[in-house]
Amino acid sequence: MTLQTTRAMIARADADDRAIAAFNVVQLEHAQGIVEGAERSGAPVILQLSENTIDYHGGPRAIAAGMRAIAEGAAVPVALHLDHLTRVDLCARTADLGFSSFMIDAAALPYEENVEVTARTVARAAVDRLWVESELGEVGGKGAHQTGARTVPAEASAFVEATGIHGLAIAIGSSHAMSEKTATLDLDLLDAIAAAVQVPLVLHGSSGVRDADLAAATRRGIRKVNVGTQLNVAFTRAVADVIQEQPRVVDPRVYIGAGRAAVARQVELVLGLLTAGSPA
């Protein structure tokens, strides 16, 4: 299937009042498992590559090429997205790598500098018609996706207008790197932000969100749901189980293959949840 653009995929989801799942890729087996799970579900997905993972691979080109090949061979629509970029040089390489969108993360900067950096990056991305996501930065003295941080609706509206971003990651109770589903979303705040902001809203840290809250969030304005840790937990447990059960195994295809299969199953679960949260 032809590679899809994030812009078109999010636009369709917004028109249908539903959310697209965006899964973080760590290695090729992640990408393969994600696409396998999406094909079983018959749902479109976004494959995401973070700056941290780019550094792990020693650069973006090899892993990006693999992700693109897997996406182009998929039986369902797949788009490619660069996640949490802090370096302008990586933002500038997005189109060259075959990706149609990226997230510029200037969250560590003061609000005014975040606006300036984000606006400048969005203007440069317009040349390649890239879809750009961002977040407000620190809210109440805390990182935008740390427990307790909250996005202020009026500030969100001003930020979107000042930067021209196409998607806004908001803080409503989720947090990155949660391995258990203990986060509770502030759905009333989500309603207020959705009323104030005229671009698609993005939820980070979705792995730690209770199923009922995640389904509700898709009905109330979230259009892109980021999932990473949940896949890593499933992958790691599957690998550990194989090694424990077969301590003499030396072929990495045996245990990494089990991890890939676990990722596919987890993707099916997430996509089923998001479908259940969408209107009939």
Side-chain angles (χ1 to χ4, degrees):
M1 179 171 287
T2 304
L3 194 64
Q4 303 293 295
T5 68
T6 301
R7 183 188 299 273
M9 194 174 285
I10 296 292
R12 285 194 293 270
D14 197 30
D16 294 338
D17 196 22
R18 58 184 175 84
I20 294 291
F23 295 99
N24 281 82
V25 171
V26 176
Q27 55 193 13
L28 286 183
E29 284 81 4
H30 271 75
Q32 292 170 328
I34 292 165
V35 168
E36 182 179 341
E39 289 176 334
R40 291 178 191 168
S41 302
V45 290
I46 297 172
L47 297 181
Q48 298 192 147
L49 181 64
S50 72
E51 185 173 289
N52 288 339
T53 301
I54 287 172
D55 291 341
Y56 167 78
H57 285 282
R61 189 160 295 281
I63 184 66
M67 289 171 63
R68 182 171 183 173
I70 292 167
E72 289 175 338
V76 293
V78 179
L80 301 178
H81 175 81
L82 292 176
D83 189 35
H84 280 286
L85 300 186
T86 63
R87 304 199 297 269
V88 175
D89 64 306
L90 287 177
C91 296
R93 297 186 64 184
T94 302
D96 173 57
L97 294 169
F99 288 55
S100 61
S101 61
F102 65 88
M103 177 194 180
I104 174 65
D105 185 355
L109 300 175
Y111 177 81
E112 292 77 12
E113 292 183 46
N114 188 356
V115 169
E116 192 277 327
V117 169
T118 302
R120 178 161 30 92
T121 305
V122 170
R124 290 175 179 171
V127 175
D128 295 312
R129 288 188 52 77
L130 299 174
W131 189 88
V132 183
E133 174 188 336
S134 187
E135 65 183 23
L136 286 179
E138 296 196 347
V139 181
K142 296 183 178 181
H145 298 291
Q146 292 181 2
T147 303
R150 295 292 184 270
T151 296
V152 178
E155 187 176 55
S157 178
F159 184 79
V160 169
E161 183 174 356
T163 60
I165 58 168
H166 309 115
L168 179 66
I170 60 173
I172 56 173
S174 60
S175 179
H176 284 123
M178 292 183 67
S179 58
E180 296 183 0
K181 295 186 177 185
T182 57
T184 299
L185 299 183
D186 188 337
L187 296 173
D188 290 336
L189 177 57
L190 172 56
D191 289 341
I193 297 170
V197 174
Q198 301 305 308
V199 298
L201 301 178
V202 182
L203 184 67
H204 287 227
S206 302
S207 293
V209 177
R210 294 180 174 89
D211 289 352
D213 277 13
L214 190 57
T218 66
R219 295 192 297 268
R220 296 168 76 161
I222 293 295
R223 293 293 170 257
K224 178 172 176 277
V225 173
N226 286 16
V227 179
T229 302
Q230 189 172 341
L231 302 188
N232 296 337
V233 169
F235 187 99
T236 302
R237 286 176 177 168
V239 170
D241 286 345
V242 170
I243 293 175
Q244 183 175 16
E245 293 167 5
Q246 305 176 51
R248 297 178 65 85
V249 67
V250 295
D251 187 343
R253 290 171 296 185
V254 175
Y255 49 84
I256 292 178
R260 179 175 59 191
V263 166
R265 290 192 296 270
Q266 204 63 39
V267 167
E268 281 191 272
L269 292 175
V270 172
L271 294 176
L273 180 63
L274 295 185
T275 299
S278 301

